[in-house]
Amino acid sequence: MTTLLHRVLHAGPDFPFAVLRRHGGDTVDLYTGDIVDVDALADIPLGTPGSSVQPEVLTLVPYRQVRERGFAAMDDGAPLRCLVVTERETVSLDELLERLPQDAVPLVGGGFDVSDDDYADIVRRVIEEEIGRGEGANFVIRREFTATTEVPAERAVLAWLHALLLGETGAYWTFAVHTPGISMAGATPERHVAVNRDPDSGDRTVTMNPISGTFRHPRSGATGEDFRAFLGDVKETEELFMVVDEEMKMMSRVCASGGRILGPYVKQMSRLTHTEYLLAGTSDLDVREVLRLTMFAPTVTGSPMQNACSVIARHERNARGYYSGVLALFTPLGDGEYELDAPILIRTAYIDDAGLVRVPAGATLVRHSDPTSEVAETAAKAAGVLTALGVMAPAELGPTVDLAAEPGVEAALRARNERLAPFWLQPQHPAPVGSLSGRTALIVDAEDEFTAMLAHQLRHFGMTVVVEHWSNVHDPRVDVDLLVAGPGPGDPLDLTEPRVRRLHELVSARLAAGAPLLAVCLSHQVLAIQLGLPIERLDSPRQGLQLDLDLFGEQSLIGFYNTFTARAGTDAAPTSGVELATDPQSGDVFAMRGRGFASVQGHLESVLSRDGLRTLGSLAAHALAGVAAPAPAAASVSSRS
């Protein structure tokens, strides 16, 4: 037995340690060191460039840290805790399994803090009050299994680790961490973000790993037929696409090259199988800044991210602690640079010094969500950890095949990409040609980070682009060629909301000045109001929906995330000289253009917009060209086929 393994196995409450098995390897890393609590991610004690001291650091990042991005979170005081490594050893998995405690950890009491019926009611309220009122596309609401134990935390997490190593498959990290007051053991399937240096090019590659869509293995055992049916489920497919969109927003913020989508792939575990993508790009940012700009995964929060945090604060009963935060391992490269590996803290059990045990689990709620099914999903996600805790008996499931290798599965996965934007599936290179090259744009961020993807696509055309928060844009006559009024959550008629009121002011003044304007989603609705069109709430929100449209003579497959819509009809005609692209049945206005402006309800920057790049270029060019062009003689209408 190694020295450090012996000390970990006989640890007292004041001896900090971490035991990590990564990527299903046959070895396990053990760490101990000094505990340092800091206030902000930038304070994580990494060595400075040129310093001879470059410690490895394992950081426990609580959910409340999302306030660094200005987002809402209940404050439970969970510390941003760093284990500054002073000693590390590697042992074989077999030796660790032989040495870890194998006796059960007795629990007292036990049950979910939110009942099945109450959780189903929360699901209904979120769909009606949040998604149904335009607050976002999807939200993750958690509940927790809680119990107590008299077993010391440092021993409990090692016993749970033993059970997880034997009972769970497919985990990205399987781990136990103990520090005074905070201990945890888990088997997380999902890497949130990683930064690695390419040994050939020297580039620092950022990778994210959105996982969504949950296939619960039947008791009889999972088959290829079952899984192919799951892959064809609209709700599960849209759920994955929406989180890919949200993480691509983050990739566009941290990577100069945007991000490329790889996949989809299959993540098969003992009781569940998920679908996933990998996103990759390059960045020169400090690894701590990469982590800050990507707090936190939409798979455990929702989208748009800022509003998702507000929805969580409204509907969850208490603070999250470390659930949906990350474990972040910063590994020095020896030249002042660091690599980062940061899995999401899900499928994890927590225990404090008083013996309170918590196992949080959440479900992604979308417009298609069935309350009963979402209740079952939270139970299924907690099941692997609850089995390791001895709360549930090991599932007696029939034999399960390698689902990814089953006939037809690869083709079904590949077919998903036929609906996605080629721009995000390929390496992205600037194409500074045409009328947009050399022009300038200011994008008004209305609290939806789709603006980062918009900026990346406009830069692709050769434009110089700046993104500014709506509260910082006061003068619509700002000295740029094109003002892009961006998307955001909420009701475009609610002028009591300062953000919406500012959009109305900017759009109105820009129109009056005759200065080029492009309006997207919420701002498209604001523009429609300014032009005299009514706004109505859709009977069924179009969150993560694709529509095949005729936009001014060009057929375009576009992704939508809207709850409200502008409508054209006989009772409400827009200002003369405005072209509309509408639905001939409902009158929904999908796009508008006139002298010096253009707008679109959909998200041309979304991965769901297969033809979005072309349409974005066309609308932006129209807005810029319209300054000098004569006004059309009359309005014309094109509509979706």
Side-chain angles (χ1 to χ4, degrees), residues 1-9 15 30 87 89 91:
M1 187 190 309
T2 66
T3 301
L4 183 53
L5 177 57
H6 176 81
R7 290 156 63 201
V8 167
L9 294 174
F15 182 76
L30 289 75
E87 192 174 349
E89 290 182 354
V91 300

Side-chain angles (χ1 to χ4, degrees), residues 139-157:
F139 304 106
V140 179
I141 304 298
R142 93 191 193 289
R143 59 178 184 155
E144 295 185 345
F145 177 91
T146 63
T148 60
T149 185
E150 295 183 356
V151 174
E154 63 273 15
R155 182 166 183 83
V157 294

Side-chain angles (χ1 to χ4, degrees), residues 304-494:
M305 181 70 196
Q306 182 166 352
N307 229 37
C309 293
S310 298
V311 169
I312 289 168
R314 286 197 288 269
H315 291 276
E316 292 190 347
R317 295 181 177 179
N318 46 43
R320 286 190 162 196
Y322 292 89
Y323 171 75
S324 72
V326 298
L327 277 178
L329 182 64
F330 298 90
T331 302
L333 293 171
D335 57 0
E337 297 289 337
Y338 275 81
E339 292 188 327
L340 168 66
D341 193 3
I344 302 173
L345 282 169
I346 53 176
R347 318 290 165 83
T348 298
Y350 303 88
I351 177 172
D352 64 19
D353 286 349
L356 176 64
V357 176
R358 299 180 301 109
V359 180
T364 300
L365 312 183
V366 298
R367 61 191 176 91
H368 293 303
S369 285
D370 170 69
T372 301
S373 179
E374 301 298 2
V375 168
E377 182 163 320
T378 62
K381 287 178 175 177
V385 176
L386 294 179
T387 299
L389 270 59
V391 175
M392 297 177 62
E396 295 183 3
L397 300 176
T400 296
V401 299
D402 179 356
L403 295 173
E406 282 293 284
V409 167
E410 182 180 353
L413 290 169
R414 192 167 54 247
R416 287 184 167 188
N417 287 355
E418 295 173 4
R419 300 170 55 189
L420 301 185
F423 178 80
W424 300 112
L425 294 169
Q426 302 166 356
Q428 296 141 33
H429 305 289
V433 296
S435 62
L436 299 182
S437 181
R439 308 300 287 268
T440 60
L442 172 67
I443 301 178
V444 180
D445 181 356
E447 298 181 4
D448 187 336
E449 291 183 347
F450 264 129
T451 51
M453 296 172 73
L454 265 173
H456 182 61
Q457 288 197 326
L458 290 175
R459 291 183 185 117
H460 172 79
F461 290 122
M463 298 188 75
T464 299
V465 184
V466 174
V467 179
E468 284 283 0
H469 190 264
W470 63 268
S471 62
N472 295 326
V473 184
H474 305 284
D475 185 357
R477 297 164 299 177
V478 63
D479 187 21
V480 290
D481 296 325
L482 180 68
L483 182 75
V484 181
D491 183 345
L493 296 167
D494 184 9

Side-chain angles (χ1 to χ4, degrees), residues 225-238 275 412-413 416 419:
E225 182 179 1
D226 297 328
F227 191 57
R228 286 192 299 274
F230 161 81
L231 291 176
D233 184 274
V234 172
K235 184 259 184 187
E236 301 291 352
T237 301
E238 290 185 353
T275 45
L413 290 169
R416 287 184 167 188
R419 300 170 55 189

